[in-house]
Structure formats: C-alpha cells, structure tokens
Amino acid sequence: MPVLKDLFIYKSTTVKESLKKLNQTAARVLLVVDGRGRLLGTITDGDIRRYILKGKSLDESIEDVYNRKPTVLYKTRFSDKKARELILGRKIELLPIVDDKQRVVDFVTWKQVFLEFEKHPTLTVGPVNAPVVIMAGGKGERMGPFTKILPKPLIPIGDKTIMEVIIDEFRAQGAKEYYLTLNYKAAMIESYFNYIERDYMIEFLREDMFLGTAGSLRLLKEKIRSTFIVSNCDVIVKANFSEVIKYHNAKKACLTILSSVQHHRIPHGLVHFKTGGNVTGIVEKPEYTFNVSTGVYVVSPAAVDLIPADRPYDMTDLIKSLIKRRMKVAM
C-alpha cells in the first residue's frame, strides 16, 4: 500500500514522469494537488492510456489529461459503508478523502474494499467473469540453474510462487476460472496446485510437445467459447481487466495486446554521422520511450480457430495472421 504523499503529483508534471510514478508506487491512480496539498483532480493509467492512443507526446504536461472532477469523500462524512458504496457503485480504483478545504488527508482503494467483499459476499462487485489462461509450459532457460530443479511457475516471489501471485491479481478482480497449459515439469506444477488450498477452479492442459507461445491455446478450442484472458507465467500486470475487456469488446477486436510504456536511457552520448565519418550531431544520454507487449492478451474465440494443431506457433504468428486477414488487433 503506497504512502499518501507518494501519490501526490502536480499538474505541471509530464505524462512520462506520471507514468514512471505510477510504476514506482504500483498504484493505478495519482492525486493531482497544488502546493498546499489541495486536490485538483486524479490521473489514472486509463487516462494516460487514452492519451497515448491519440498519438500525443509523453513530454507534454498532464494538464489536459487528468480528471478535474474526481469522486471524493469528505472526512466529516466518512464511513466504511459510504466508502464501499462509492468505490463499488462507481467502479473507481481509489477514493480520496478530503477535509473542508479540499486537502487530501487519506484514501481508500478498491483492493481494500474487495477484501471486505470476501468477508461479506452480499456486497455488489462487478467481477471479471472471463476465464484466465496462463501459459506455463516453457523451460524457463533464462532462469537457470533454478529451473533445472523448479519449473518457472513455481519460482517463489516472497512467500508465494509467481503463479499464485499472478492468480491473486486476477482473483482480486473476481476471476475464478483458470486454465494452465503445461509441458516442462507438468506433474510437479499439477501436484503443487492440487496440494494447496484454493477457492478457484483450475484445469490443467498438457502439451504433447512444445507448442510455442500461442500453440497450446488450440487445446482450449472445445473448452472456452467466450472472450478470455491470456497471461504468460512470468509477468505480473497491474491492470483493471474489467475495463480492458470492455475496451476489447468496444473495439470489436479479435485480440487485444496489453502493452507497457517502457523508458530506456542510453548512458552515453549518441553520435550522429554521415557517410565518411563526418559527425552531424551528438545527443547526451538520450532517453527513448517504447510501447512493448507485456505478454498478457485478451482473446476472442475466433482467433483460436487460426491456430494450427500439433505444431509450434507463437503469439507473434497469430497476431500477424489476424492482421493479414483484416481481423482487428487492438492495443
């Protein structure tokens, strides 16, 4: 849970810096305040996503990006019940608590409310109903020698396996149906999940051979007939998946890629030159921004029909095939 002041940001901050702060705090919402801590608005990962998809510069300030009319709760009117009603009713990630001068004094998050929901299931929550497919068949060779003994999905992150951490992120949004595609050390993974206590359904699907990053989705052809989420087993993504699925459906996409904005700074002067070695310019420690695939996708059943049976097939192959057939791929 981030500290309150870690969520503060000013309207003069650039979109790029806002993204960095969202990543650093692991929050989905930042609070735009003035020099006295008075709330001016909020900015979410969704606000920034919509800005990026318009093709606008990340070096601009957030002044035209942030929400100037956020939902707030006054400290004098605060109650747990009222906070729950606002967060669940308006489906917001974070609810700022302000005093009579609009200064932010506290906040309540969706996750806090969801934990309360698990204790009191009669609360109304709009869960993610889509099945979740986790691709867990690879050898994890880049993580050797650990993966010579443990399969990558069982590598611990804190006191849980990375697979459980991934599932917990989806569980916190209501997903209860999981499919694990397995190959390398499949029996060990099955044994682990059959041993632990869990309140969600898991079905294991074994590859007869290594089928690449998309080939094993073919095994789901007769099992899933609705839109579903696909995640690699080595990535933890903080996203509002209800919003992602809504976006996927609104775009009438066959496949939606969850992308991440990544910043890379070259720690040297970048030299520009022309033929013959004549220098035309130099840029000191330039920084570049890219949109990269996270390895998490929303997929419609029609995409699965394009995946060939019994041979390796990667997600990049599937995406190229969809584009070639003019079947929409969204980001």
Side-chain angles (χ1 to χ4, degrees):
M1 180 74 68
V3 176
L4 178 59
K5 288 190 176 180
D6 290 343
L7 299 177
F8 287 176
I9 198 166
Y10 300 107
K11 64 181 181 181
S12 59
T13 307
T14 66
V15 176
K16 184 185 294 183
E17 291 301 320
S18 300
L19 272 172
K20 288 181 180 178
K21 190 154 190 174
L22 281 167
N23 290 335
Q24 289 165 0
T25 60
R28 295 183 184 137
V29 183
L30 296 176
L31 305 175
V32 185
V33 297
D34 65 14
R36 297 181 182 180
R38 292 179 298 192
L39 184 68
L40 301 177
T42 58
I43 186 165
T44 68
D45 51 3
D47 294 328
I48 294 177
R49 183 196 74 227
R50 288 184 285 273
Y51 176 85
I52 291 172
L53 291 176
K54 291 177 182 177
K56 296 190 175 182
S57 171
L58 297 182
D59 293 317
E60 296 293 328
S61 78
I62 62 170
E63 192 158 4
D64 295 328
V65 184
Y66 76 89
N67 173 21
R68 297 167 188 266
K69 296 181 179 180
T71 300
V72 301
L73 182 57
Y74 283 90
K75 183 180 179 181
T76 52
R77 302 174 194 168
F78 179 84
S79 70
D80 289 341
K81 181 181 178 182
K82 185 63 177 175
R84 284 198 302 270
E85 287 175 353
L86 286 172
I87 286 180
L88 298 176
R90 302 191 185 188
K91 294 181 174 61
I92 54 178
E93 291 286 345
L94 183 145
L95 176 66
I97 313 299
V98 299
D99 64 15
D100 57 356
K101 294 183 179 179
Q102 289 293 113
R103 292 176 300 201
V104 185
V105 295
D106 205 349
F107 64 92
V108 181
T109 67
W110 168 274
K111 190 165 283 190
Q112 288 172 303
V113 169
F114 189 86
L115 291 174
E116 189 67 21
F117 164 72
E118 289 190 318
K119 298 175 191 173
H120 305 284
T122 54
L123 290 172
T124 303
V125 177
V128 173
N129 292 317
V132 178
V133 180
I134 303 177
M135 313 290 275
K139 291 183 178 180
E141 293 175 337
R142 287 177 295 177
M143 297 184 71
F146 299 104
T147 46
K148 293 291 184 183
I149 301 167
L150 276 180
K152 183 165 61 174
L154 299 187
I155 295 291
I157 302 291
D159 59 356
K160 292 186 177 183
T161 64
I162 187 170
M163 183 79 86
E164 289 172 281
V165 173
I166 292 169
I167 289 173
D168 283 350
E169 283 294 322
F170 288 109
R171 277 189 63 251
Q173 298 183 50
K176 292 186 177 293
E177 183 181 348
Y178 299 86
Y179 295 85
L180 273 56
T181 65
L182 307 176
N183 188 318
Y184 180 67
K185 296 187 182 290
M188 188 180 292
I189 298 169
E190 288 184 19
S191 177
Y192 180 85
F193 279 94
N194 286 331
Y195 173 78
I196 63 172
E197 290 186 15
R198 49 184 169 84
D199 60 355
Y200 48 88
M201 184 283 288
I202 283 187
E203 183 171 340
F204 305 104
L205 303 170
R206 289 204 188 189
E207 301 174 341
D208 294 328
M209 58 184 290
F210 288 106
L211 293 175
T213 55
S216 61
L217 295 181
R218 179 79 181 190
L219 303 174
L220 297 161
K221 186 171 172 58
E222 304 303 323
K223 295 181 179 292
I224 299 180
R225 301 184 183 277
S226 60
T227 296
F228 59 96
I229 299 167
V230 177
S231 174
N232 287 342
C233 70
D234 57 0
V235 59
I236 300 165
V237 171
K238 306 281 186 180
N240 183 332
F241 281 94
S242 177
E243 185 180 342
V244 173
I245 292 170
K246 183 179 177 181
Y247 173 80
H248 172 85
N249 292 334
K251 296 285 286 185
K252 297 182 179 178
C254 208
L255 185 145
T256 296
I257 303 168
L258 270 76
S259 72
S260 171
V261 177
Q262 297 290 311
H263 309 282
H264 295 277
R265 190 180 189 194
I266 298 176
H268 310 287
L270 182 64
V271 180
H272 295 280
F273 66 95
K274 61 183 180 180
T275 304
N278 295 322
V279 173
T280 58
I282 185 165
V283 182
E284 183 64 19
K285 299 178 181 177
E287 184 173 337
Y288 297 97
T289 301
F290 304 96
N291 285 293
V292 301
S293 173
T294 62
V296 179
Y297 312 87
V298 177
V299 182
S300 295
V304 177
D305 294 337
L306 301 183
I307 300 173
D310 303 322
R311 72 174 177 86
Y313 196 73
D314 287 332
M315 191 61 75
T316 49
D317 298 323
L318 176 58
I319 290 167
K320 289 174 183 176
S321 181
L322 288 167
I323 294 170
K324 184 177 180 180
R325 288 169 170 77
R326 299 181 182 275
M327 299 168 77
K328 186 173 286 187
V329 177
M331 178 184 78

PDB file of all heavy atoms in Angstrom, residues 50-70:
ATOM      1  N   ARG A  50      -5.559   6.357 -22.756  1.00  0.00           N
ATOM      2  CA  ARG A  50      -6.365   7.020 -23.794  1.00  0.00           C
ATOM      3  C   ARG A  50      -5.582   8.156 -24.455  1.00  0.00           C
ATOM      4  O   ARG A  50      -5.692   8.383 -25.668  1.00  0.00           O
ATOM      5  CB  ARG A  50      -7.677   7.530 -23.177  1.00  0.00           C
ATOM      6  CG  ARG A  50      -8.656   6.415 -22.848  1.00  0.00           C
ATOM      7  CD  ARG A  50      -9.968   6.954 -22.326  1.00  0.00           C
ATOM      8  NE  ARG A  50      -9.860   7.425 -20.962  1.00  0.00           N
ATOM      9  CZ  ARG A  50     -10.007   6.645 -19.891  1.00  0.00           C
ATOM     10  NH1 ARG A  50     -10.243   5.348 -20.044  1.00  0.00           N
ATOM     11  NH2 ARG A  50      -9.926   7.152 -18.676  1.00  0.00           N
ATOM     12  N   TYR A  51      -4.760   8.861 -23.676  1.00  0.00           N
ATOM     13  CA  TYR A  51      -3.931   9.945 -24.211  1.00  0.00           C
ATOM     14  C   TYR A  51      -2.902   9.384 -25.199  1.00  0.00           C
ATOM     15  O   TYR A  51      -2.717   9.929 -26.296  1.00  0.00           O
ATOM     16  CB  TYR A  51      -3.244  10.646 -23.039  1.00  0.00           C
ATOM     17  CG  TYR A  51      -2.276  11.742 -23.425  1.00  0.00           C
ATOM     18  CD1 TYR A  51      -2.720  13.030 -23.674  1.00  0.00           C
ATOM     19  CD2 TYR A  51      -0.912  11.489 -23.514  1.00  0.00           C
ATOM     20  CE1 TYR A  51      -1.833  14.047 -24.011  1.00  0.00           C
ATOM     21  CE2 TYR A  51      -0.014  12.489 -23.851  1.00  0.00           C
ATOM     22  CZ  TYR A  51      -0.482  13.766 -24.097  1.00  0.00           C
ATOM     23  OH  TYR A  51       0.408  14.749 -24.434  1.00  0.00           O
ATOM     24  N   ILE A  52      -2.246   8.284 -24.814  1.00  0.00           N
ATOM     25  CA  ILE A  52      -1.224   7.680 -25.677  1.00  0.00           C
ATOM     26  C   ILE A  52      -1.839   7.196 -26.985  1.00  0.00           C
ATOM     27  O   ILE A  52      -1.264   7.365 -28.075  1.00  0.00           O
ATOM     28  CB  ILE A  52      -0.523   6.518 -24.941  1.00  0.00           C
ATOM     29  CG1 ILE A  52       0.335   7.068 -23.798  1.00  0.00           C
ATOM     30  CG2 ILE A  52       0.334   5.692 -25.902  1.00  0.00           C
ATOM     31  CD1 ILE A  52       0.904   5.990 -22.893  1.00  0.00           C
ATOM     32  N   LEU A  53      -3.037   6.586 -26.893  1.00  0.00           N
ATOM     33  CA  LEU A  53      -3.664   6.045 -28.098  1.00  0.00           C
ATOM     34  C   LEU A  53      -4.091   7.133 -29.080  1.00  0.00           C
ATOM     35  O   LEU A  53      -4.386   6.847 -30.240  1.00  0.00           O
ATOM     36  CB  LEU A  53      -4.864   5.170 -27.722  1.00  0.00           C
ATOM     37  CG  LEU A  53      -4.507   3.846 -27.028  1.00  0.00           C
ATOM     38  CD1 LEU A  53      -5.759   3.105 -26.608  1.00  0.00           C
ATOM     39  CD2 LEU A  53      -3.649   2.971 -27.935  1.00  0.00           C
ATOM     40  N   LYS A  54      -4.117   8.382 -28.633  1.00  0.00           N
ATOM     41  CA  LYS A  54      -4.373   9.505 -29.537  1.00  0.00           C
ATOM     42  C   LYS A  54      -3.102   9.938 -30.262  1.00  0.00           C
ATOM     43  O   LYS A  54      -3.134  10.849 -31.088  1.00  0.00           O
ATOM     44  CB  LYS A  54      -4.948  10.691 -28.752  1.00  0.00           C
ATOM     45  CG  LYS A  54      -6.348  10.447 -28.222  1.00  0.00           C
ATOM     46  CD  LYS A  54      -6.828  11.640 -27.401  1.00  0.00           C
ATOM     47  CE  LYS A  54      -8.220  11.399 -26.824  1.00  0.00           C
ATOM     48  NZ  LYS A  54      -8.659  12.531 -25.960  1.00  0.00           N
ATOM     49  N   GLY A  55      -1.960   9.285 -29.915  1.00  0.00           N
ATOM     50  CA  GLY A  55      -0.705   9.587 -30.581  1.00  0.00           C
ATOM     51  C   GLY A  55      -0.038  10.848 -30.084  1.00  0.00           C
ATOM     52  O   GLY A  55       0.801  11.428 -30.781  1.00  0.00           O
ATOM     53  N   LYS A  56      -0.361  11.282 -28.866  1.00  0.00           N
ATOM     54  CA  LYS A  56       0.194  12.534 -28.351  1.00  0.00           C
ATOM     55  C   LYS A  56       1.517  12.315 -27.630  1.00  0.00           C
ATOM     56  O   LYS A  56       1.857  11.203 -27.236  1.00  0.00           O
ATOM     57  CB  LYS A  56      -0.826  13.206 -27.435  1.00  0.00           C
ATOM     58  CG  LYS A  56      -2.094  13.624 -28.173  1.00  0.00           C
ATOM     59  CD  LYS A  56      -2.973  14.506 -27.312  1.00  0.00           C
ATOM     60  CE  LYS A  56      -4.173  15.003 -28.096  1.00  0.00           C
ATOM     61  NZ  LYS A  56      -5.029  15.906 -27.279  1.00  0.00           N
ATOM     62  N   SER A  57       2.257  13.400 -27.431  1.00  0.00           N
ATOM     63  CA  SER A  57       3.607  13.333 -26.872  1.00  0.00           C
ATOM     64  C   SER A  57       3.587  13.069 -25.375  1.00  0.00           C
ATOM     65  O   SER A  57       2.787  13.654 -24.628  1.00  0.00           O
ATOM     66  CB  SER A  57       4.357  14.643 -27.141  1.00  0.00           C
ATOM     67  OG  SER A  57       5.584  14.676 -26.430  1.00  0.00           O
ATOM     68  N   LEU A  58       4.505  12.222 -24.926  1.00  0.00           N
ATOM     69  CA  LEU A  58       4.645  11.931 -23.498  1.00  0.00           C
ATOM     70  C   LEU A  58       5.386  13.036 -22.767  1.00  0.00           C
ATOM     71  O   LEU A  58       5.461  13.024 -21.534  1.00  0.00           O
ATOM     72  CB  LEU A  58       5.377  10.606 -23.299  1.00  0.00           C
ATOM     73  CG  LEU A  58       4.688   9.348 -23.841  1.00  0.00           C
ATOM     74  CD1 LEU A  58       5.518   8.124 -23.522  1.00  0.00           C
ATOM     75  CD2 LEU A  58       3.299   9.204 -23.284  1.00  0.00           C
ATOM     76  N   ASP A  59       5.937  13.978 -23.516  1.00  0.00           N
ATOM     77  CA  ASP A  59       6.693  15.062 -22.883  1.00  0.00           C
ATOM     78  C   ASP A  59       5.816  16.265 -22.530  1.00  0.00           C
ATOM     79  O   ASP A  59       6.298  17.241 -21.951  1.00  0.00           O
ATOM     80  CB  ASP A  59       7.837  15.509 -23.806  1.00  0.00           C
ATOM     81  CG  ASP A  59       8.880  14.423 -23.971  1.00  0.00           C
ATOM     82  OD1 ASP A  59       9.234  13.801 -22.958  1.00  0.00           O
ATOM     83  OD2 ASP A  59       9.327  14.181 -25.107  1.00  0.00           O
ATOM     84  N   GLU A  60       4.528  16.193 -22.869  1.00  0.00           N
ATOM     85  CA  GLU A  60       3.599  17.267 -22.502  1.00  0.00           C
ATOM     86  C   GLU A  60       3.193  17.118 -21.037  1.00  0.00           C
ATOM     87  O   GLU A  60       3.280  16.042 -20.454  1.00  0.00           O
ATOM     88  CB  GLU A  60       2.357  17.224 -23.391  1.00  0.00           C
ATOM     89  CG  GLU A  60       2.624  17.483 -24.862  1.00  0.00           C
ATOM     90  CD  GLU A  60       3.089  18.910 -25.123  1.00  0.00           C
ATOM     91  OE1 GLU A  60       2.651  19.824 -24.386  1.00  0.00           O
ATOM     92  OE2 GLU A  60       3.895  19.114 -26.052  1.00  0.00           O
ATOM     93  N   SER A  61       2.720  18.196 -20.434  1.00  0.00           N
ATOM     94  CA  SER A  61       2.249  18.131 -19.046  1.00  0.00           C
ATOM     95  C   SER A  61       0.908  17.411 -18.991  1.00  0.00           C
ATOM     96  O   SER A  61       0.229  17.251 -20.018  1.00  0.00           O
ATOM     97  CB  SER A  61       2.105  19.529 -18.458  1.00  0.00           C
ATOM     98  OG  SER A  61       0.916  20.145 -18.923  1.00  0.00           O
ATOM     99  N   ILE A  62       0.514  17.013 -17.783  1.00  0.00           N
ATOM    100  CA  ILE A  62      -0.744  16.282 -17.618  1.00  0.00           C
ATOM    101  C   ILE A  62      -1.951  17.222 -17.513  1.00  0.00           C
ATOM    102  O   ILE A  62      -3.067  16.766 -17.257  1.00  0.00           O
ATOM    103  CB  ILE A  62      -0.695  15.378 -16.374  1.00  0.00           C
ATOM    104  CG1 ILE A  62      -0.512  16.228 -15.094  1.00  0.00           C
ATOM    105  CG2 ILE A  62       0.390  14.328 -16.502  1.00  0.00           C
ATOM    106  CD1 ILE A  62      -0.695  15.440 -13.808  1.00  0.00           C
ATOM    107  N   GLU A  63      -1.731  18.500 -17.728  1.00  0.00           N
ATOM    108  CA  GLU A  63      -2.782  19.491 -17.510  1.00  0.00           C
ATOM    109  C   GLU A  63      -4.044  19.180 -18.299  1.00  0.00           C
ATOM    110  O   GLU A  63      -5.163  19.425 -17.831  1.00  0.00           O
ATOM    111  CB  GLU A  63      -2.281  20.899 -17.843  1.00  0.00           C
ATOM    112  CG  GLU A  63      -3.216  21.987 -17.360  1.00  0.00           C
ATOM    113  CD  GLU A  63      -2.525  23.330 -17.194  1.00  0.00           C
ATOM    114  OE1 GLU A  63      -1.327  23.441 -17.523  1.00  0.00           O
ATOM    115  OE2 GLU A  63      -3.199  24.257 -16.740  1.00  0.00           O
ATOM    116  N   ASP A  64      -3.894  18.641 -19.511  1.00  0.00           N
ATOM    117  CA  ASP A  64      -5.066  18.307 -20.326  1.00  0.00           C
ATOM    118  C   ASP A  64      -5.418  16.826 -20.263  1.00  0.00           C
ATOM    119  O   ASP A  64      -6.235  16.349 -21.057  1.00  0.00           O
ATOM    120  CB  ASP A  64      -4.805  18.698 -21.792  1.00  0.00           C
ATOM    121  CG  ASP A  64      -4.663  20.202 -21.971  1.00  0.00           C
ATOM    122  OD1 ASP A  64      -5.320  20.943 -21.206  1.00  0.00           O
ATOM    123  OD2 ASP A  64      -3.877  20.625 -22.841  1.00  0.00           O
ATOM    124  N   VAL A  65      -4.804  16.108 -19.335  1.00  0.00           N
ATOM    125  CA  VAL A  65      -5.003  14.663 -19.246  1.00  0.00           C
ATOM    126  C   VAL A  65      -5.797  14.273 -18.003  1.00  0.00           C
ATOM    127  O   VAL A  65      -6.670  13.401 -18.049  1.00  0.00           O
ATOM    128  CB  VAL A  65      -3.644  13.924 -19.239  1.00  0.00           C
ATOM    129  CG1 VAL A  65      -3.860  12.407 -19.252  1.00  0.00           C
ATOM    130  CG2 VAL A  65      -2.776  14.349 -20.412  1.00  0.00           C
ATOM    131  N   TYR A  66      -5.524  14.923 -16.881  1.00  0.00           N
ATOM    132  CA  TYR A  66      -6.108  14.454 -15.622  1.00  0.00           C
ATOM    133  C   TYR A  66      -7.589  14.811 -15.494  1.00  0.00           C
ATOM    134  O   TYR A  66      -8.101  15.732 -16.129  1.00  0.00           O
ATOM    135  CB  TYR A  66      -5.304  14.964 -14.426  1.00  0.00           C
ATOM    136  CG  TYR A  66      -5.486  16.426 -14.050  1.00  0.00           C
ATOM    137  CD1 TYR A  66      -6.474  16.824 -13.159  1.00  0.00           C
ATOM    138  CD2 TYR A  66      -4.628  17.411 -14.548  1.00  0.00           C
ATOM    139  CE1 TYR A  66      -6.625  18.154 -12.793  1.00  0.00           C
ATOM    140  CE2 TYR A  66      -4.769  18.743 -14.193  1.00  0.00           C
ATOM    141  CZ  TYR A  66      -5.772  19.107 -13.315  1.00  0.00           C
ATOM    142  OH  TYR A  66      -5.928  20.425 -12.941  1.00  0.00           O
ATOM    143  N   ASN A  67      -8.266  14.059 -14.653  1.00  0.00           N
ATOM    144  CA  ASN A  67      -9.697  14.235 -14.394  1.00  0.00           C
ATOM    145  C   ASN A  67      -9.904  15.321 -13.341  1.00  0.00           C
ATOM    146  O   ASN A  67      -9.470  15.173 -12.199  1.00  0.00           O
ATOM    147  CB  ASN A  67     -10.292  12.908 -13.909  1.00  0.00           C
ATOM    148  CG  ASN A  67     -11.734  13.041 -13.466  1.00  0.00           C
ATOM    149  OD1 ASN A  67     -12.432  13.967 -13.849  1.00  0.00           O
ATOM    150  ND2 ASN A  67     -12.173  12.101 -12.641  1.00  0.00           N
ATOM    151  N   ARG A  68     -10.552  16.405 -13.738  1.00  0.00           N
ATOM    152  CA  ARG A  68     -10.731  17.545 -12.833  1.00  0.00           C
ATOM    153  C   ARG A  68     -11.973  17.416 -11.938  1.00  0.00           C
ATOM    154  O   ARG A  68     -12.206  18.262 -11.071  1.00  0.00           O
ATOM    155  CB  ARG A  68     -10.826  18.843 -13.645  1.00  0.00           C
ATOM    156  CG  ARG A  68      -9.549  19.150 -14.427  1.00  0.00           C
ATOM    157  CD  ARG A  68      -9.782  20.254 -15.446  1.00  0.00           C
ATOM    158  NE  ARG A  68      -8.617  20.406 -16.317  1.00  0.00           N
ATOM    159  CZ  ARG A  68      -7.635  21.278 -16.098  1.00  0.00           C
ATOM    160  NH1 ARG A  68      -7.674  22.064 -15.043  1.00  0.00           N
ATOM    161  NH2 ARG A  68      -6.611  21.361 -16.935  1.00  0.00           N
ATOM    162  N   LYS A  69     -12.755  16.370 -12.150  1.00  0.00           N
ATOM    163  CA  LYS A  69     -13.970  16.182 -11.342  1.00  0.00           C
ATOM    164  C   LYS A  69     -14.004  14.764 -10.758  1.00  0.00           C
ATOM    165  O   LYS A  69     -14.895  13.963 -11.080  1.00  0.00           O
ATOM    166  CB  LYS A  69     -15.211  16.448 -12.198  1.00  0.00           C
ATOM    167  CG  LYS A  69     -15.322  17.883 -12.684  1.00  0.00           C
ATOM    168  CD  LYS A  69     -16.596  18.091 -13.502  1.00  0.00           C
ATOM    169  CE  LYS A  69     -16.724  19.532 -13.963  1.00  0.00           C
ATOM    170  NZ  LYS A  69     -17.958  19.761 -14.758  1.00  0.00           N
ATOM    171  N   PRO A  70     -13.022  14.438  -9.918  1.00  0.00           N
ATOM    172  CA  PRO A  70     -12.986  13.085  -9.355  1.00  0.00           C
ATOM    173  C   PRO A  70     -14.042  12.906  -8.263  1.00  0.00           C
ATOM    174  O   PRO A  70     -14.530  13.889  -7.679  1.00  0.00           O
ATOM    175  CB  PRO A  70     -11.583  13.005  -8.761  1.00  0.00           C
ATOM    176  CG  PRO A  70     -11.292  14.417  -8.340  1.00  0.00           C
ATOM    177  CD  PRO A  70     -11.924  15.284  -9.393  1.00  0.00           C
TER     178      PRO A  70
END
